[in-house]
């Protein structure tokens, strides 16, 4: 994907699921095997995970200083909000202190939770923008900030439901590349085989591109 950025030289790049949330994943809460694996792989520290994400955005900023990066608030980012809001950190000494440091600014409700966490390690690069979950960010009439995990009237987000929107969107939640009447869904850049993706899968490594005339297309690739 970095090679594509170098080759295409886009004006902006949209990032979905930048933060994985493996250190505080609510779907693994209370599961012994998953917790032990996280401990063995040293993936149980929220501080280290946020620090790694901060290093990543700083690296991208230095490598591509003329590109505007937009971080869509994704369902994995919401893991972090839920973790703190549900007071899970109270019984989690590993992640208690950093969670407490985030509380004051979370109460102000002015920034995405992930941005608040990353700012504990330094300033956010000037060419990075973090969009809140319901924030609009449109280019050539196409909505780019919507991750796609929420659908119509509180339902689960799917490309089938988005097809009924009177708005063109490019989303990333489903990890399965799709083109539909009012937009498209990009794929994923993560590993295709994860602990929660057993069985047949339609996931694919695939980026999307929005052209200057408002047209868009999928860019699948084999790794």
């Amino acid at each position: 994907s970095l090679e594509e950025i170098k080759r295409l030289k886009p004006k902006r790049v949209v990032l979905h699921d930048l933060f994985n949330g493996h250190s505080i994943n609510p779907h693994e809460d209370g599961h012994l095997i998953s917790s032990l694996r996280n401990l063995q792989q040293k993936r149980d520290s929220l501080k280290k995970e946020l620090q790694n994400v901060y290093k990543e955005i700083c690296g991208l900023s230095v490598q591509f200083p003329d590109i505007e990066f937009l971080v869509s608030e994704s369902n994995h980012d919401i893991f972090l909000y839920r973790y703190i809001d549900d007071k899970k950190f109270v019984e989690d000494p590993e992640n208690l202190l950093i969670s407490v440091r985030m509380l004051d600014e979370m109460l102000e409700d002015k920034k995405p939770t992930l941005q608040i966490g990353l700012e504990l390690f330094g300033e956010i690069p000037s060419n990075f923008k973090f969009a809140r979950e319901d924030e609009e960010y449109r280019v050539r009439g196409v909505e780019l900030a919507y991750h796609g995990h929420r659908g119509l009237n509180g339902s689960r987000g799917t490309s089938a439901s988005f097809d009924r929107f009177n708005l063109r969107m490019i989303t990333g939640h489903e990890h399965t590349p799709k083109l539909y009447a009012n937009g498209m869904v990009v794929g994923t850049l993560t590993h295709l085989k994860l602990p929660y993706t057993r069985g047949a899968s339609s996931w694919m490594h695939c980026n999307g591109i929005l052209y200057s005339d408002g047209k868009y297309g999928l860019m699948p690739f084999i790794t």
Side-chain angles (χ1 to χ4, degrees), residues 66-105:
D66 298 324
I67 292 177
E68 177 186 344
F69 289 89
L70 173 68
V71 180
S72 167
E73 188 166 34
S74 308
N75 59 307
H76 283 245
D77 303 339
I78 305 303
F79 287 173
L80 180 54
Y81 182 91
R82 286 176 53 189
Y83 172 80
I84 295 176
D85 191 43
D86 291 345
K87 298 181 288 187
K88 296 291 185 181
F89 64 89
V90 174
E91 298 179 358
D92 184 6
E94 173 70 37
N95 298 320
L96 189 149
L97 291 180
I98 193 164
S99 300
V100 170
R101 290 176 64 191
M102 293 175 62
L103 274 173
D104 275 350
E105 200 156 359

Side-chain angles (χ1 to χ4, degrees), residues 1-221:
S1 182
L2 293 181
E3 293 305 315
E4 284 187 341
I5 296 176
K6 292 176 184 176
R7 178 169 59 89
L8 296 173
K9 297 180 175 62
K11 289 183 179 179
R12 57 186 63 84
V13 171
V14 183
L15 301 173
H16 293 262
D17 287 325
L18 175 64
F19 172 75
N20 183 43
H22 49 255
S23 60
I24 45 86
N25 191 331
H27 301 305
E28 296 180 353
D29 186 34
H31 294 273
L32 177 62
I33 300 299
S34 297
S35 298
L36 289 174
R37 283 176 179 158
N38 269 349
L39 282 170
Q40 289 176 337
Q41 297 170 13
K42 298 181 180 180
R43 287 161 50 94
D44 60 326
S45 169
L46 175 60
K47 180 179 179 179
K48 288 180 181 178
E49 185 172 9
L50 289 172
Q51 198 166 29
N52 286 337
V53 174
Y54 181 73
K55 289 178 181 178
E56 185 71 21
I57 67 171
C58 288
L60 287 171
S61 177
V62 170
Q63 193 169 4
F64 305 107
D66 298 324
I67 292 177
E68 177 186 344
F69 289 89
L70 173 68
V71 180
S72 167
E73 188 166 34
S74 308
N75 59 307
H76 283 245
D77 303 339
I78 305 303
F79 287 173
L80 180 54
Y81 182 91
R82 286 176 53 189
Y83 172 80
I84 295 176
D85 191 43
D86 291 345
K87 298 181 288 187
K88 296 291 185 181
F89 64 89
V90 174
E91 298 179 358
D92 184 6
E94 173 70 37
N95 298 320
L96 189 149
L97 291 180
I98 193 164
S99 300
V100 170
R101 290 176 64 191
M102 293 175 62
L103 274 173
D104 275 350
E105 200 156 359
M106 286 178 66
L107 285 171
E108 294 182 12
D109 196 28
K110 293 180 179 179
K111 300 177 183 177
T113 307
L114 177 58
Q115 181 177 347
I116 293 171
L118 297 180
E119 286 178 345
L120 296 177
F121 302 96
E123 292 184 10
I124 300 297
S126 59
N127 59 334
F128 265 80
K129 172 180 172 55
F130 287 75
R132 300 190 64 168
E133 194 175 15
D134 291 328
E135 187 173 343
E136 296 180 352
Y137 188 98
R138 298 178 189 176
V139 176
R140 301 294 187 269
V142 181
E143 177 57 52
L144 300 180
Y146 199 70
H147 178 60
H149 56 295
R150 299 195 192 277
L152 293 168
N153 302 317
S155 63
R156 183 179 179 181
T158 65
S159 53
S161 67
F162 299 150
D163 202 17
R164 299 193 294 272
F165 276 19
N166 186 26
L167 173 66
R168 294 189 300 160
M169 297 193 300
I170 298 176
T171 62
H173 176 60
E174 296 176 72
H175 297 183
T176 299
K178 298 177 184 177
L179 282 167
Y180 55 96
N182 282 334
M184 68 180 183
V185 184
V186 300
T188 180
L189 297 181
T190 188
H191 297 294
L192 298 180
K193 287 297 182 181
L194 296 171
Y196 54 87
T197 57
R198 294 180 180 177
S201 173
S202 58
W203 286 19
M204 179 183 286
H205 292 140
C206 182
N207 290 323
I209 185 168
L210 174 65
Y211 297 98
S212 58
D213 61 0
K215 295 180 180 179
Y216 42 78
L218 293 168
M219 302 177 66
F221 56 96

